[in-house]
Structures are given as structure tokens and as C-alpha cells.
Amino acid sequence: MQLSGALVSVATLDLPRLQRFYRDLLGIPPQVQLPTEGDPVYVEFRLPGLRLGLYRSRHLDCGAQTEAVSLCLQVQDLQGSLTTLEGLAEAYQISISPLRQAFHGQEVDFRDPDGNRIVLHQPSAAFGEATAWDPQG
């Protein structure tokens, strides 16, 4: 098997709502929308090291179903990011966990409007150095 790329895709019954949420969370619009005119059925956010696709599903049971997968977003300044996150929490009526400190750094978690778990993580220096990854090398 020769891979040409990878992405995380999230199914939703309410694509406009989830698209707005991730646009507000990430601070960028989606870079891909299909179809390009009219109501999209797929949008994609391109982040450093990640393509995040959201698509409208026709399956009524497509919502978050397990705790096995979390979308982890690494930030440089967690405290600064919490200000934005608190505004989102109010706007989307979601709750944010208390700040946790662990060997790998600081983090909080919350759920998107469909119930998918998101972790906002600021790595410790040691963890960041140990997990540094160059996709070209």
C-alpha cells in the first residue's frame, strides 16, 4: 500500500452548524467546499499537519458514538486560547473541562455540537521535543 495522504473526516447531520463551529474554533474558513456552488456536502479545513473534513451524512446514527477517538489540537498558548474557547462555549452551549496538567503538558477538553471530543493541548517542552515530527524526513 502506498499512501498519498491522510485526513480525519467527521460525519454530521447538520453540516452548516458544524462548519460554523470549526470555523469559529480554528479561526479560518474551510479551504475546500464541494460542490463549490450552493449548499456544500463536504468542507475541508487544512491545518499544519492535518486535513479535517466535515461531511453531511444521510445516516441518522452518524453522531459521536465512542470515546475511542479525540481530535487533538496543539496550541502554543493554551491560556490565550481559552479566551476564544470560552466565547465559543457560550455561543454553542458547550462546556470546557478544567485545565489539567500532565507529563505531556496542559490541556482542556470539550465537545463539538455533535458530541465529538476535542482536546486543546499545549505540550511541555520535553514532550514537544520528544514528539517532534518532520513529515519530509
Short mmCIF file of all heavy atoms in Angstrom, two decimals, residues 61-105:
data_model
loop_
_atom_site.label_atom_id
_atom_site.label_comp_id
_atom_site.label_asym_id
_atom_site.label_seq_id
_atom_site.Cartn_x
_atom_site.Cartn_y
_atom_site.Cartn_z
N ASP A 61 -27.67 7.70 12.36
CA ASP A 61 -26.86 7.30 13.52
C ASP A 61 -25.39 7.70 13.37
O ASP A 61 -24.51 7.10 13.97
CB ASP A 61 -26.96 5.79 13.74
CG ASP A 61 -26.42 4.99 12.56
OD1 ASP A 61 -26.19 5.58 11.49
OD2 ASP A 61 -26.25 3.78 12.72
N CYS A 62 -25.11 8.77 12.61
CA CYS A 62 -23.72 9.12 12.32
C CYS A 62 -23.05 9.90 13.43
O CYS A 62 -21.86 10.18 13.35
CB CYS A 62 -23.63 9.90 11.01
SG CYS A 62 -24.21 11.60 11.16
N GLY A 63 -23.75 10.29 14.49
CA GLY A 63 -23.16 11.11 15.54
C GLY A 63 -22.06 10.39 16.31
O GLY A 63 -21.81 9.21 16.13
N ALA A 64 -21.40 11.14 17.18
CA ALA A 64 -20.32 10.58 18.01
C ALA A 64 -20.85 9.38 18.79
O ALA A 64 -21.90 9.46 19.42
CB ALA A 64 -19.79 11.65 18.96
N GLN A 65 -20.12 8.28 18.74
CA GLN A 65 -20.63 7.07 19.37
C GLN A 65 -19.66 6.44 20.37
O GLN A 65 -20.05 5.58 21.13
CB GLN A 65 -20.96 6.04 18.28
CG GLN A 65 -22.07 6.53 17.39
CD GLN A 65 -22.40 5.55 16.29
OE1 GLN A 65 -21.98 4.40 16.31
NE2 GLN A 65 -23.15 5.99 15.32
N THR A 66 -18.40 6.81 20.35
CA THR A 66 -17.46 6.20 21.28
C THR A 66 -16.51 7.24 21.83
O THR A 66 -16.44 8.36 21.35
CB THR A 66 -16.61 5.10 20.61
OG1 THR A 66 -15.71 5.73 19.70
CG2 THR A 66 -17.46 4.10 19.86
N GLU A 67 -15.75 6.84 22.79
CA GLU A 67 -14.71 7.68 23.36
C GLU A 67 -13.34 7.34 22.77
O GLU A 67 -12.32 7.82 23.23
CB GLU A 67 -14.65 7.50 24.88
CG GLU A 67 -15.90 7.97 25.59
CD GLU A 67 -16.06 9.47 25.55
OE1 GLU A 67 -15.06 10.20 25.66
OE2 GLU A 67 -17.20 9.92 25.41
N ALA A 68 -13.32 6.49 21.76
CA ALA A 68 -12.05 5.97 21.25
C ALA A 68 -11.23 7.00 20.49
O ALA A 68 -10.02 6.89 20.44
CB ALA A 68 -12.32 4.77 20.35
N VAL A 69 -11.85 7.99 19.90
CA VAL A 69 -11.12 8.95 19.08
C VAL A 69 -11.36 10.36 19.61
O VAL A 69 -12.48 10.73 19.93
CB VAL A 69 -11.58 8.86 17.61
CG1 VAL A 69 -10.91 9.92 16.76
CG2 VAL A 69 -11.30 7.48 17.05
N SER A 70 -10.28 11.14 19.66
CA SER A 70 -10.36 12.54 20.01
C SER A 70 -9.59 13.34 18.97
O SER A 70 -8.53 12.89 18.51
CB SER A 70 -9.72 12.81 21.38
OG SER A 70 -10.41 12.13 22.39
N LEU A 71 -10.09 14.49 18.63
CA LEU A 71 -9.36 15.41 17.78
C LEU A 71 -8.50 16.26 18.70
O LEU A 71 -9.02 17.01 19.53
CB LEU A 71 -10.32 16.29 16.98
CG LEU A 71 -9.69 17.37 16.13
CD1 LEU A 71 -8.75 16.78 15.07
CD2 LEU A 71 -10.77 18.22 15.48
N CYS A 72 -7.19 16.10 18.61
CA CYS A 72 -6.27 16.85 19.47
C CYS A 72 -5.68 18.00 18.68
O CYS A 72 -5.05 17.79 17.64
CB CYS A 72 -5.16 15.95 19.99
SG CYS A 72 -5.75 14.64 21.06
N LEU A 73 -5.90 19.20 19.16
CA LEU A 73 -5.38 20.40 18.53
C LEU A 73 -4.30 20.98 19.42
O LEU A 73 -4.57 21.34 20.57
CB LEU A 73 -6.49 21.42 18.30
CG LEU A 73 -7.66 20.94 17.42
CD1 LEU A 73 -8.78 21.96 17.42
CD2 LEU A 73 -7.18 20.65 16.01
N GLN A 74 -3.09 21.05 18.91
CA GLN A 74 -1.95 21.54 19.68
C GLN A 74 -1.83 23.05 19.50
O GLN A 74 -1.89 23.55 18.38
CB GLN A 74 -0.68 20.86 19.18
CG GLN A 74 0.53 21.10 20.04
CD GLN A 74 1.67 20.19 19.63
OE1 GLN A 74 1.50 18.98 19.57
NE2 GLN A 74 2.80 20.77 19.34
N VAL A 75 -1.70 23.78 20.60
CA VAL A 75 -1.57 25.24 20.56
C VAL A 75 -0.29 25.66 21.25
O VAL A 75 0.28 24.91 22.06
CB VAL A 75 -2.78 25.92 21.23
CG1 VAL A 75 -4.07 25.63 20.49
CG2 VAL A 75 -2.92 25.52 22.69
N GLN A 76 0.17 26.85 20.93
CA GLN A 76 1.37 27.38 21.56
C GLN A 76 1.07 28.03 22.90
O GLN A 76 1.92 28.08 23.77
CB GLN A 76 2.06 28.37 20.63
CG GLN A 76 2.61 27.72 19.38
CD GLN A 76 3.26 28.73 18.46
OE1 GLN A 76 3.22 29.94 18.68
NE2 GLN A 76 3.88 28.23 17.41
N ASP A 77 -0.15 28.59 23.04
CA ASP A 77 -0.51 29.33 24.24
C ASP A 77 -1.92 28.92 24.67
O ASP A 77 -2.91 29.49 24.21
CB ASP A 77 -0.44 30.83 23.96
CG ASP A 77 -0.90 31.69 25.13
OD1 ASP A 77 -0.98 31.18 26.28
OD2 ASP A 77 -1.18 32.88 24.91
N LEU A 78 -2.01 27.94 25.53
CA LEU A 78 -3.31 27.43 25.96
C LEU A 78 -4.10 28.50 26.71
O LEU A 78 -5.28 28.68 26.47
CB LEU A 78 -3.16 26.17 26.81
CG LEU A 78 -4.45 25.50 27.25
CD1 LEU A 78 -5.31 25.11 26.05
CD2 LEU A 78 -4.16 24.27 28.10
N GLN A 79 -3.45 29.22 27.61
CA GLN A 79 -4.15 30.26 28.37
C GLN A 79 -4.77 31.29 27.44
O GLN A 79 -5.91 31.69 27.61
CB GLN A 79 -3.19 30.94 29.37
CG GLN A 79 -2.81 30.07 30.54
CD GLN A 79 -3.98 29.73 31.43
OE1 GLN A 79 -4.95 30.46 31.56
NE2 GLN A 79 -3.91 28.58 32.08
N GLY A 80 -4.00 31.72 26.44
CA GLY A 80 -4.53 32.69 25.48
C GLY A 80 -5.67 32.10 24.65
O GLY A 80 -6.63 32.80 24.32
N SER A 81 -5.58 30.83 24.32
CA SER A 81 -6.61 30.17 23.52
C SER A 81 -7.91 29.99 24.30
O SER A 81 -8.99 29.90 23.72
CB SER A 81 -6.11 28.80 23.05
OG SER A 81 -4.98 28.95 22.23
N LEU A 82 -7.81 29.95 25.62
CA LEU A 82 -9.01 29.74 26.43
C LEU A 82 -9.98 30.91 26.31
O LEU A 82 -11.20 30.71 26.41
CB LEU A 82 -8.63 29.51 27.89
CG LEU A 82 -8.04 28.14 28.18
CD1 LEU A 82 -7.60 28.04 29.64
CD2 LEU A 82 -9.01 27.03 27.84
N THR A 83 -9.49 32.11 26.07
CA THR A 83 -10.37 33.27 25.90
C THR A 83 -11.30 33.04 24.71
O THR A 83 -12.51 33.21 24.80
CB THR A 83 -9.54 34.55 25.70
OG1 THR A 83 -8.68 34.72 26.82
CG2 THR A 83 -10.43 35.77 25.54
N THR A 84 -10.73 32.63 23.58
CA THR A 84 -11.53 32.32 22.40
C THR A 84 -12.47 31.17 22.68
O THR A 84 -13.65 31.20 22.32
CB THR A 84 -10.61 31.97 21.21
OG1 THR A 84 -9.76 33.07 20.94
CG2 THR A 84 -11.41 31.60 19.98
N LEU A 85 -11.95 30.15 23.33
CA LEU A 85 -12.74 28.95 23.61
C LEU A 85 -13.93 29.26 24.52
O LEU A 85 -15.02 28.71 24.34
CB LEU A 85 -11.84 27.87 24.22
CG LEU A 85 -12.41 26.48 24.32
CD1 LEU A 85 -12.91 25.98 22.98
CD2 LEU A 85 -11.36 25.54 24.87
N GLU A 86 -13.73 30.14 25.48
CA GLU A 86 -14.84 30.49 26.39
C GLU A 86 -15.96 31.19 25.63
O GLU A 86 -17.14 30.97 25.91
CB GLU A 86 -14.32 31.33 27.55
CG GLU A 86 -13.49 30.51 28.52
CD GLU A 86 -12.66 31.33 29.50
OE1 GLU A 86 -12.64 32.58 29.39
OE2 GLU A 86 -12.03 30.71 30.37
N GLY A 87 -15.61 32.01 24.65
CA GLY A 87 -16.63 32.64 23.81
C GLY A 87 -17.40 31.61 23.00
O GLY A 87 -18.62 31.69 22.86
N LEU A 88 -16.69 30.61 22.48
CA LEU A 88 -17.34 29.53 21.73
C LEU A 88 -18.24 28.71 22.65
O LEU A 88 -19.33 28.29 22.24
CB LEU A 88 -16.30 28.61 21.12
CG LEU A 88 -15.61 29.09 19.85
CD1 LEU A 88 -14.53 28.11 19.45
CD2 LEU A 88 -16.61 29.26 18.75
N ALA A 89 -17.78 28.46 23.86
CA ALA A 89 -18.57 27.67 24.80
C ALA A 89 -19.92 28.33 25.06
O ALA A 89 -20.95 27.65 25.09
CB ALA A 89 -17.80 27.48 26.10
N GLU A 90 -19.90 29.64 25.19
CA GLU A 90 -21.15 30.36 25.41
C GLU A 90 -22.02 30.34 24.14
O GLU A 90 -23.21 30.05 24.21
CB GLU A 90 -20.85 31.80 25.83
CG GLU A 90 -22.10 32.58 26.19
CD GLU A 90 -21.76 33.97 26.70
OE1 GLU A 90 -20.71 34.15 27.35
OE2 GLU A 90 -22.57 34.88 26.44
N ALA A 91 -21.41 30.63 23.00
CA ALA A 91 -22.17 30.71 21.75
C ALA A 91 -22.78 29.37 21.35
O ALA A 91 -23.90 29.32 20.83
CB ALA A 91 -21.27 31.22 20.62
N TYR A 92 -22.06 28.27 21.60
CA TYR A 92 -22.52 26.95 21.17
C TYR A 92 -23.05 26.09 22.33
O TYR A 92 -23.36 24.92 22.13
CB TYR A 92 -21.41 26.20 20.44
CG TYR A 92 -21.13 26.79 19.08
CD1 TYR A 92 -20.14 27.76 18.92
CD2 TYR A 92 -21.86 26.41 17.96
CE1 TYR A 92 -19.88 28.32 17.66
CE2 TYR A 92 -21.61 26.95 16.72
CZ TYR A 92 -20.63 27.91 16.58
OH TYR A 92 -20.37 28.46 15.35
N GLN A 93 -23.11 26.67 23.52
CA GLN A 93 -23.61 25.99 24.71
C GLN A 93 -22.89 24.67 24.95
O GLN A 93 -23.50 23.60 25.08
CB GLN A 93 -25.12 25.80 24.62
CG GLN A 93 -25.85 27.10 24.52
CD GLN A 93 -27.35 26.94 24.39
OE1 GLN A 93 -27.87 25.84 24.23
NE2 GLN A 93 -28.07 28.04 24.48
N ILE A 94 -21.57 24.75 24.99
CA ILE A 94 -20.74 23.58 25.29
C ILE A 94 -19.97 23.87 26.56
O ILE A 94 -19.78 25.03 26.94
CB ILE A 94 -19.78 23.24 24.13
CG1 ILE A 94 -18.88 24.44 23.80
CG2 ILE A 94 -20.54 22.78 22.91
CD1 ILE A 94 -17.82 24.16 22.76
N SER A 95 -19.53 22.83 27.24
CA SER A 95 -18.75 23.03 28.46
C SER A 95 -17.30 22.61 28.22
O SER A 95 -17.02 21.72 27.42
CB SER A 95 -19.36 22.25 29.63
OG SER A 95 -19.39 20.89 29.33
N ILE A 96 -16.42 23.27 28.95
CA ILE A 96 -14.98 23.03 28.85
C ILE A 96 -14.53 22.41 30.16
O ILE A 96 -14.92 22.86 31.24
CB ILE A 96 -14.22 24.35 28.63
CG1 ILE A 96 -14.77 25.09 27.40
CG2 ILE A 96 -12.73 24.11 28.49
CD1 ILE A 96 -14.33 26.53 27.30
N SER A 97 -13.69 21.39 30.07
CA SER A 97 -13.18 20.75 31.29
C SER A 97 -12.26 21.72 32.03
O SER A 97 -11.74 22.68 31.45
CB SER A 97 -12.38 19.49 30.92
OG SER A 97 -11.13 19.86 30.36
N PRO A 98 -12.00 21.44 33.29
CA PRO A 98 -10.97 22.21 33.99
C PRO A 98 -9.60 21.97 33.33
O PRO A 98 -9.37 20.92 32.72
CB PRO A 98 -10.99 21.64 35.41
CG PRO A 98 -12.33 20.97 35.54
CD PRO A 98 -12.69 20.50 34.17
N LEU A 99 -8.72 22.92 33.45
CA LEU A 99 -7.36 22.80 32.93
C LEU A 99 -6.65 21.67 33.68
O LEU A 99 -6.71 21.59 34.91
CB LEU A 99 -6.61 24.12 33.14
CG LEU A 99 -5.19 24.19 32.64
CD1 LEU A 99 -5.15 24.17 31.13
CD2 LEU A 99 -4.53 25.46 33.15
N ARG A 100 -6.01 20.78 32.93
CA ARG A 100 -5.27 19.67 33.53
C ARG A 100 -3.79 19.81 33.19
O ARG A 100 -3.43 20.18 32.08
CB ARG A 100 -5.79 18.33 32.98
CG ARG A 100 -7.20 17.99 33.35
CD ARG A 100 -7.60 16.61 32.84
NE ARG A 100 -7.51 16.48 31.40
CZ ARG A 100 -8.45 16.83 30.54
NH1 ARG A 100 -9.58 17.34 30.98
NH2 ARG A 100 -8.29 16.65 29.24
N GLN A 101 -2.97 19.46 34.14
CA GLN A 101 -1.52 19.42 33.95
C GLN A 101 -1.09 17.97 34.02
O GLN A 101 -1.44 17.26 34.95
CB GLN A 101 -0.81 20.23 35.04
CG GLN A 101 0.69 20.26 34.93
CD GLN A 101 1.18 21.09 33.74
OE1 GLN A 101 0.69 22.18 33.50
NE2 GLN A 101 2.14 20.57 33.00
N ALA A 102 -0.33 17.52 33.01
CA ALA A 102 0.15 16.15 32.98
C ALA A 102 1.59 16.15 32.48
O ALA A 102 2.13 17.20 32.14
CB ALA A 102 -0.73 15.30 32.07
N PHE A 103 2.21 14.97 32.40
CA PHE A 103 3.60 14.90 31.97
C PHE A 103 3.79 15.48 30.57
O PHE A 103 4.83 16.01 30.24
CB PHE A 103 4.08 13.44 31.98
CG PHE A 103 3.63 12.64 30.78
CD1 PHE A 103 4.43 12.51 29.66
CD2 PHE A 103 2.37 12.06 30.76
CE1 PHE A 103 3.99 11.80 28.56
CE2 PHE A 103 1.93 11.34 29.67
CZ PHE A 103 2.75 11.21 28.56
N HIS A 104 2.76 15.39 29.75
CA HIS A 104 2.87 15.84 28.37
C HIS A 104 2.52 17.31 28.17
O HIS A 104 2.66 17.84 27.08
CB HIS A 104 1.99 14.97 27.46
CG HIS A 104 0.55 15.01 27.82
ND1 HIS A 104 0.00 14.14 28.72
CD2 HIS A 104 -0.44 15.83 27.43
CE1 HIS A 104 -1.28 14.41 28.86
NE2 HIS A 104 -1.57 15.43 28.08
N GLY A 105 2.05 17.98 29.20
CA GLY A 105 1.72 19.41 29.10
C GLY A 105 0.40 19.73 29.75
O GLY A 105 -0.07 19.01 30.63
#
